[in-house]
Amino acid sequence: MAAPAYPAWVTRWVSGQWRNKKRPPVFRPSRPLALADKVANRREQAAEATCITEMSVMMACWKQNDFNDAACAEEIRMFYDCVAKAEEERKNENEDTLSSRGNLPSSKVNKLLKRFPQITRYV
Amino acid sequence: MAAPSAAGLGRRLRAWLPRMVQVRWSRYSPSYLEPEAKKELYEKPLEELTEEEKEKMELKAVQPIKAAPPTLSSSVFNDPMISKFTNMMMKSGNKVLARSLMAQTLEAIKRKQLEKYHKAPENEKETIECNPYVIFHQALKNCQPIIGLSNITKGGKTYQVPVPLKDNRKRFLAMKWLITECRENKHRRTLMPEKLSQELLLAFNNEGPIIKRKHVLHKMAEANRAYAHFRWW
């Protein structure tokens, strides 16, 4: 005779797990299963330094031309442009849009969530 | 209840300690407009004004205007860079002395350049710049550093990190270096206009100790370029 195919509850009953209190987990939540209106406070990661490539190009040019500014005028102009652009972006980003990395700080998320709270009970 | 009393307390404290509390913000309400000193704007007939200028004129009829500072002038001889430099040279509020020194400096520059002009052969006469204002501005521009160093502490150690500078900071550094160089590193008996004119002419030709100081700063920034990633802006 091959291994007899008993239903699963029979095997479990026979092994005595139910009497040893190994019952299936019953979940009794203490609070309603709804998302809270706030996010945990996460420390905002520091942004990266801007204009590093332009700066290194300019410094390489300086090294070649013995720190003569007239010879490196093009690189210096590019560096200034990059710095102006970064400054402009930095000024404009402090609103309710995503940061350069693509994530919102937790304080702003909390403000938005407070405006649209989770409805836990209906009247 | 705590919030309004705290604000009132702050105001009362500020009134009681007028000199010990920082008072750096403007006392004007935001509706106050800046005074306009340029005469050309008022002499233009109505048709030539652009849309925004017309709006500004209409706004001036309604909004109050801030009091004009004593340095604001509509004269053709008024130069903001020269005014700033004179203020930086001034000691204990002696603006009369600082202004006379500035005038003597510009005169000294003009004299030296004229001397060179008259001694030069015919073909070189066009290359010699005689306008002291042009020389002043070009010398300051040559002295401005392009990149600065700032102290950033990371992991307990302070590093000198190369950092781009703002325009105001560059101008300030150039003027400060010029003035300190003239005050400290010269012979005691030479007068300030003499020293300043000498330094300005050297800086105009990209020589001299101030240009050297700028190059030293650039070299240090170049040596520390590995730490550039410690910046977060």
Side-chain angles (χ1 to χ4, degrees):
Chain A
M1 199 155 70
Y6 292 118
W9 65 266
V10 170
T11 333
R12 238 185 277 128
W13 184 42
V14 158
S15 67
Q17 280 178 347
W18 191 269
R19 285 163 73 215
N20 286 341
K21 298 199 176 74
K22 273 208 188 269
R23 295 197 171 107
V26 174
F27 182 52
R28 296 190 181 96
S30 57
R31 286 178 294 174
L33 290 177
L35 292 175
D37 288 330
K38 39 180 150 166
V39 185
N41 274 337
R42 199 167 53 157
R43 191 178 73 107
E44 214 182 297
Q45 275 171 315
E48 299 110 10
T50 47
C51 303
I52 297 235
T53 39
E54 269 83 4
M55 187 164 71
S56 45
V57 159
M58 187 177 69
M59 288 186 168
C61 175
W62 270 346
K63 255 232 139 93
Q64 278 176 349
N65 297 10
D66 190 33
F67 292 89
N68 180 7
D69 284 335
C72 299
E74 185 57 35
E75 279 83 1
I76 293 175
R77 190 191 62 82
M78 271 173 37
F79 179 61
Y80 280 164
D81 286 343
C82 173
V83 164
K85 213 158 52 147
E87 188 66 36
E88 193 66 37
E89 252 181 48
R90 204 178 149 74
K91 221 171 53 157
N92 291 342
E93 79 155 17
N94 275 341
E95 296 159 5
D96 288 328
T97 50
L98 299 180
S99 70
S100 59
R101 289 233 185 123
N103 47 6
L104 276 173
S106 58
S107 51
K108 291 193 183 144
V109 173
N110 282 341
K111 282 201 191 117
L112 276 173
L113 286 175
K114 215 167 190 168
R115 283 167 58 191
F116 305 102
Q118 184 83 277
I119 304 175
T120 44
R121 47 174 70 110
Y122 288 95
V123 180
Chain B
M1 195 191 88
S5 70
L9 264 178
R11 228 171 279 129
R12 264 173 264 148
L13 195 67
R14 236 175 280 137
W16 179 61
L17 307 164
R19 289 291 162 264
M20 294 176 64
V21 180
Q22 242 183 353
V23 194
R24 225 152 174 254
W25 55 86
S26 157
R27 284 293 198 245
Y28 285 116
S29 100
S31 58
Y32 274 72
L33 304 170
E34 298 286 333
E36 179 67 60
K38 287 193 282 210
K39 268 193 252 176
E40 295 93 33
L41 223 70
Y42 295 115
E43 281 162 8
K44 267 202 237 182
L46 263 163
E47 293 79 31
E48 280 183 31
L49 295 175
T50 57
E51 281 310 313
E52 39 207 54
E53 281 174 358
K54 276 195 189 130
E55 276 174 34
K56 275 195 207 152
M57 292 294 254
E58 273 155 39
L59 213 57
K60 274 190 205 159
V62 192
Q63 301 277 37
I65 304 186
K66 295 187 193 175
T71 44
L72 188 67
S73 142
S74 59
S75 147
V76 291
F77 304 112
N78 179 38
D79 190 351
M81 284 266 257
I82 302 242
S83 315
K84 191 63 106 180
F85 194 75
T86 333
N87 288 341
M88 282 180 71
M89 264 209 301
M90 172 165 69
K91 273 186 174 174
S92 26
N94 197 347
K95 182 76 146 253
V96 174
L97 183 61
R99 215 173 140 183
S100 69
L101 287 177
M102 194 71 224
Q104 287 169 33
T105 312
L106 293 170
E107 191 193 329
I109 295 176
K110 181 88 185 190
R111 278 182 193 271
K112 286 184 186 167
Q113 290 296 90
L114 274 180
E115 206 183 312
K116 258 206 305 202
Y117 180 85
H118 288 301
K119 283 191 190 153
E122 282 304 323
N123 49 354
E124 278 177 24
K125 281 201 168 159
E126 283 94 38
T127 55
I128 298 180
E129 180 61 54
C130 281
N131 188 352
Y133 292 93
V134 167
I135 292 185
F136 181 79
H137 285 177
Q138 187 59 40
L140 271 188
K141 212 157 108 177
N142 290 348
C143 286
Q144 283 179 10
I146 292 165
I147 199 170
L149 290 171
S150 101
N151 295 352
I152 292 188
T153 318
K154 197 153 172 164
K157 273 172 76 172
T158 341
Y159 300 97
Q160 299 271 36
V161 173
V163 124
L165 296 169
K166 290 211 174 127
D167 281 331
N168 284 346
R169 178 86 186 145
K170 285 185 209 146
R171 267 178 256 147
F172 169 76
L173 279 176
M175 293 194 213
K176 187 88 184 167
W177 288 345
L178 198 42
I179 295 178
T180 36
E181 176 65 38
C182 288
R183 278 184 185 161
E184 286 161 19
N185 291 354
K186 298 283 182 207
H187 185 67
R188 183 182 61 90
R189 296 274 310 225
T190 38
L191 296 170
M192 189 68 169
E194 172 66 37
K195 299 186 266 198
L196 258 183
S197 55
Q198 206 177 26
E199 287 301 327
L200 281 169
L201 285 170
L202 285 175
F204 179 70
N205 296 327
N206 268 318
E207 301 149 354
I210 302 158
I211 301 286
K212 200 152 162 265
R213 188 165 170 177
K214 175 180 91 147
H215 284 333
V216 160
L217 181 63
H218 285 174
K219 279 181 192 148
M220 271 180 63
E222 211 266 325
N224 282 5
R225 67 181 184 274
Y227 298 135
H229 287 276
F230 286 178
R231 223 174 5 125
W232 56 85
W233 66 94

